[in-house]
Amino acid sequence: MRNPFRDGGPLDVAMGWLSPLISIALLWKGIQMAQNGASLWWPLTAGMVVALHLHGRYRRSHRTKRRSSLQQVGDDGPESSS
């Protein structure tokens, strides 16, 4: 049985879609709570969660682009030198 938590696995892909929905919902609820008199820490903390999610998305997209470009260079290297 393959690990569903591996990079590119089904749970990894699902978290990529659920994470922005959950973080934006938290931000929305934090803004509503602050408008109704709750602490301003709720929307600030939720905004940090959104920022962390976007940072993770950015790093993941660049890691996969770099990995695919390194594989292309590695595949061409030994064949062209022969």
Side-chain angles (χ1 to χ4, degrees):
M1 184 171 172
R2 294 182 59 156
N3 183 3
F5 294 102
R6 71 186 185 285
D7 282 346
L11 292 177
D12 185 45
V13 172
M15 285 305 296
W17 287 100
L18 290 175
S19 184
L21 295 175
I22 292 170
S23 61
I24 290 172
L26 275 172
L27 179 61
W28 182 267
K29 190 64 176 174
I31 291 171
Q32 287 179 344
M33 289 172 59
Q35 288 175 346
N36 291 329
S39 174
L40 286 178
W41 286 107
W42 285 106
L44 290 175
T45 304
M48 286 300 295
V49 170
V50 171
L52 286 172
H53 164 72
L54 293 174
H55 176 68
R57 173 76 68 150
Y58 173 79
R59 287 181 52 106
R60 182 175 299 259
S61 68
H62 283 286
R63 181 177 62 198
T64 56
K65 285 179 186 176
R66 184 176 63 218
R67 188 178 298 163
S68 66
S69 67
L70 287 176
Q71 288 174 350
Q72 289 174 356
V73 170
D75 291 341
D76 294 339
E79 293 173 2
S80 61
S81 64
S82 300

